[in-house]
Amino acid sequence: RLAEAVPADKYSWRPEEGVRSVSEVYMHIAAGNFGYPSLLGFAVPADVNPRGLEKITDKAKVVEILKQSFAEARSAIEKTADADLQKPIKLFGRDSTREAVLLQMVTHLHEHLGQSIAYARMNRIVPPWTAERQARQAQQKPKQ
């Protein structure tokens, strides 16, 4: 929802040189959403190259891929049996578990959600869920 709320002309904005732009952050999130499940054996869609996603800057395409990536991540979580969570796996070259891969994916999302919110606020964009809450609160205030 935040990606949809950010105007297209802000997708190239970055807080300073050498830091990911808005579109690069969203495509980095998408790459993680495709990449972490692939560590568990889930196939990355044939039309997706996670390593090349950060080059995509068109808002409509970024939002489309981001939504697709969340669907893929959700599917991987739903298809991972509880009985398989403690099975050993390598995560970035270290001994780990399938559960740790999923936890890392969620942590990655959380980190970049915070980054995305900061980027939005630096551009005077109120996250949609905050705007909705503020509108409800305004309606509930007694009129004076």
Side-chain angles (χ1 to χ4, degrees):
R1 290 178 54 206
L2 185 57
E4 291 172 327
V6 174
D9 67 329
K10 295 296 183 186
Y11 267 58
S12 62
W13 182 88
R14 63 184 76 238
E16 63 180 57
E17 195 58 39
V19 178
R20 284 187 177 106
S21 68
V22 170
S23 66
E24 289 168 343
V25 169
Y26 292 146
M27 291 295 84
H28 177 75
I29 291 168
N33 288 349
F34 291 120
Y36 285 108
S38 75
L39 297 173
L40 302 177
F42 294 97
V44 174
D47 62 337
V48 173
N49 173 10
R51 295 190 187 273
L53 291 179
E54 288 190 31
K55 295 178 182 143
I56 299 170
T57 59
D58 175 71
K59 177 181 176 174
K61 189 69 175 168
V62 167
V63 170
E64 174 190 331
I65 293 169
L66 193 57
K67 286 181 179 182
Q68 180 187 9
S69 79
F70 275 100
E72 292 289 330
R74 178 182 213 105
S75 176
I77 291 167
E78 290 171 349
K79 290 178 181 177
T80 301
D82 290 350
D84 292 337
L85 290 173
Q86 294 308 311
K87 286 186 177 178
I89 196 168
K90 291 285 186 185
L91 177 59
F92 304 121
R94 295 186 179 146
D95 290 336
S96 193
T97 63
R98 296 171 73 80
E99 180 180 48
V101 171
L102 295 175
L103 180 60
Q104 179 71 35
M105 180 173 68
V106 172
T107 302
H108 181 257
L109 289 170
H110 189 261
E111 175 182 351
H112 293 296
L113 172 60
Q115 180 184 16
S116 298
I117 291 168
Y119 277 28
R121 291 196 177 277
M122 291 170 77
N123 283 283
R124 302 190 185 281
I125 300 162
V126 177
W129 52 88
T130 302
E132 291 163 2
R133 187 185 74 240
Q134 290 170 339
R136 281 192 309 274
Q137 289 172 338
Q139 289 175 346
Q140 293 172 354
K141 284 186 179 177
K143 301 206 176 186
Q144 296 182 8

